[in-house]
Amino acid sequence: MALQFKVPELGENVEKGDVVRVMVKVGDRITVDQPVFELETDKATIEVPSSVAGTITDVNISQGDKVTTGQVVLTVEAEAGAAVKPGSNAAAESDAGQAREVPVPQVSEARPPAAVVNIATARAVVAAPGPVVAAGPLELARSVPAAPSVRRFARELGVDIAQVPGTGPGGRIGQNDVAAFVKIQLTSGTSSAVRGFVPLPDFTKWGSVELKPMSNIRRKTAEHLTQAWQAPHVTQHDKADLSGFESFRETFGPRVERAGGKLTVTAVVIKVLSAALDRFPQFASSVDMANESIVYKQYRHIGVAVDTPNGLLVPVLRDVHLKTMTQIAVELGSISQKAREKKLSLDDMSGGVMTVTNLGSIGGTSFTPIVNQPEVAILGVSRGALEPVWRDGQFVPRPMLPLSLSYDHRVIDGADAARFLRFVAEALEEPLTMLL
């Protein structure tokens, strides 16, 4: 029996990607869950596993191809009784080579005449200069009740569907809601929810140029940071005296290394943040302006910015408040390596309540990190250095670590940010105090 393996669902709002590497060829025998190709999506580069087993008779993709969800990747001749992964999108072929598809009921969502939108006009608004608002990141902040066809319709108009009020049961959004929303934007003269980018000048007037398309990861990073910058940012700076930390690392570092990890500043910072978030819960929240409320998260998942050859990735360590520093150090090393080897899944990079970014290995005395929305705070760590510090009537050399805390001023006040960062600094100075 011939089976077709198609590009599976890759995650919320992820419908396409670029083929980076094909890992199989015609004639190969494959098993269920065996990686068959590597795909770069908007969020990560992932290995896609097969949901079927058998001998490959046809491969329909090659390196550099752009593929979409549901596209046929390869055909497999399966043996009688061969397993197919439950819930997979593999389709059996008939003798004529046509896939047998099960009809899916379609819900008709008619648009009333009053909500009809001139798509050409809407696209003109999208192309016109205006506020740079990326459509998409807000969809990740909360589940938006809308059918795939409605989401596609919103994307075609350049609309962030998360901002569209739904009139269906349970707030479900239909095409008529999207159309009515765009009409309001057009008639009111505003386009805050319609994606628009200021066109660049013709640089060829001044010399030769080279145009290179963004990778999926770089494009998604640009869109996400554009959206994140809409929040009012403030950055608080402080320094931690690492004299006590160095003694702590000298004492307990070997124990962590025997477990397979490394007692780095980042590992300890992650554990410190879990305690700081308990004391200052507003730092583990998200602002929901649509409902004029603040979402306080009870879990403690911390994202860590990792510099990779493919761009900046932010894997997430989960439930750090329940883990020891040794466990965090081991997991941090593992997930960072996973990021550099392009093996992160979409789930590995979701669900964080706060992010840490450490540039100390590169250099710099301080910087202003951008909050990773829908989070409300991010901690930046710069390179530590020996500095003269006034103690007991004299200057003494101390290893000082610069810290930079950026936060969303809509939910966090400056005084609370200063207290939060001071708590982090003091905990780094004496890590054992967290056990008291």
Side-chain angles (χ1 to χ4, degrees):
M1 178 177 64
L3 296 175
Q4 290 182 334
F5 172 62
K6 301 178 181 180
V7 179
E9 293 289 339
L10 302 170
E12 179 71 14
N13 301 319
V14 180
E15 298 180 352
K16 61 183 179 179
D18 296 335
V19 177
V20 177
R21 179 166 59 109
V22 180
M23 306 165 72
V24 293
K25 62 183 183 299
V26 173
D28 286 353
R29 285 185 60 84
I30 60 173
T31 59
V32 173
D33 289 332
Q34 176 182 334
V36 292
F37 70 101
E38 198 171 86
L39 185 69
E40 183 186 66
T41 70
D42 290 345
K43 301 177 182 178
T45 300
I46 57 178
E47 292 182 349
V48 180
S50 172
S51 59
V52 298
T55 302
I56 298 176
T57 59
D58 192 18
V59 177
N60 300 316
I61 58 172
S62 58
Q63 183 177 341
D65 287 352
K66 293 184 181 295
V67 296
T68 58
T69 300
Q71 181 175 331
V72 176
V73 175
L74 50 86
T75 303
V76 171
E77 185 63 34
E79 299 175 357
V84 176
K85 190 171 183 179
S88 72
N89 60 353
E93 290 186 320
S94 66
D95 293 339
Q98 299 297 321
R100 294 195 298 270
E101 298 182 355
V102 179
V104 179
Q106 297 294 326
V107 179
S108 176
E109 294 181 279
R111 287 178 283 169
V116 173
V117 174
N118 186 311
I119 293 181
T121 303
R123 285 175 175 165
V125 173
V126 172
V132 181
V133 180
L138 285 180
E139 293 180 327
L140 304 178
R142 59 186 176 91
S143 178
V144 179
S149 60
V150 177
R151 294 175 184 272
R152 189 178 304 110
F153 179 67
R155 283 195 300 273
E156 289 174 354
L157 297 180
V159 172
D160 179 357
I161 198 169
Q163 298 186 26
V164 179
T167 59
R172 189 168 182 79
I173 302 170
Q175 287 191 359
N176 56 323
D177 296 320
V178 176
F181 181 76
V182 173
K183 184 176 182 180
I184 291 173
Q185 300 300 315
L186 295 175
T187 56
S188 64
T190 62
S191 57
S192 60
V194 180
R195 184 169 49 186
F197 299 97
V198 177
L200 294 174
D202 181 8
F203 296 112
T204 59
K205 293 188 297 184
W206 300 289
S208 61
V209 300
E210 181 182 4
L211 182 66
K212 292 184 178 180
M214 291 182 178
S215 67
N216 285 329
I217 293 177
R218 175 57 58 190
R219 176 175 57 80
K220 194 63 179 180
T221 298
E223 290 179 355
H224 183 64
L225 291 179
T226 298
Q227 179 63 38
W229 192 244
Q230 306 306 309
H233 280 58
V234 180
T235 303
Q236 174 74 22
H237 300 281
D238 206 334
K239 290 183 179 180
D241 184 341
L242 292 189
S243 302
F245 172 83
E246 295 300 342
S247 299
F248 172 79
R249 179 157 56 182
E250 184 178 343
T251 302
F252 297 101
R255 180 185 301 182
V256 176
E257 290 178 3
R258 287 194 294 271
K262 189 174 182 181
L263 194 57
T264 62
V265 169
T266 302
V268 178
V269 164
I270 291 171
K271 186 60 179 178
V272 168
L273 285 180
S274 69
L277 292 173
D278 288 338
R279 182 167 297 194
F280 303 91
Q282 65 268 45
F283 284 81
S285 69
S286 288
V287 182
D288 185 356
M289 294 301 294
N291 296 308
E292 298 182 351
S293 59
I294 300 173
V295 180
Y296 290 90
K297 303 154 193 171
Q298 306 304 313
Y299 50 90
R300 298 291 178 258
H301 307 333
I302 303 296
V304 182
V306 178
D307 180 31
T308 77
N310 305 297
L312 182 68
L313 298 177
V314 186
V316 176
L317 280 72
R318 306 197 180 280
D319 298 317
V320 294
H321 62 301
L322 302 177
K323 297 174 180 176
T324 64
M325 287 187 189
T326 299
Q327 291 173 318
I328 291 173
V330 173
E331 185 177 347
L332 177 61
S334 173
I335 203 166
S336 297
Q337 185 65 25
K338 197 174 178 182
R340 285 186 283 269
E341 293 177 354
K342 302 188 294 184
K343 293 183 178 180
L344 288 176
S345 67
L346 298 179
D347 188 58
D348 287 333
M349 296 188 291
S350 62
V353 300
M354 187 174 175
T355 298
V356 178
T357 174
N358 190 340
L359 298 178
S361 62
I362 301 174
T365 57
S366 65
F367 62 107
T368 305
I370 298 178
V371 175
N372 185 23
Q373 278 198 335
E375 300 168 15
V376 295
I378 181 172
L379 181 65
V381 181
S382 298
R383 173 176 288 180
L386 282 175
E387 296 181 10
V389 178
W390 185 258
R391 295 286 171 84
D392 301 325
Q394 61 179 340
F395 284 105
V396 293
R398 294 284 186 176
M400 304 300 292
L401 181 71
L403 303 171
S404 302
L405 175 71
S406 290
Y407 57 92
D408 188 333
H409 209 353
R410 293 176 298 177
V411 67
I412 297 172
D413 295 329
D416 287 336
R419 295 186 188 100
F420 181 94
L421 194 54
R422 187 89 296 266
F423 176 89
V424 171
E426 290 175 355
L428 283 173
E429 291 170 355
E430 295 291 344
L432 290 177
T433 58
M434 287 188 296
L435 303 178
L436 297 178

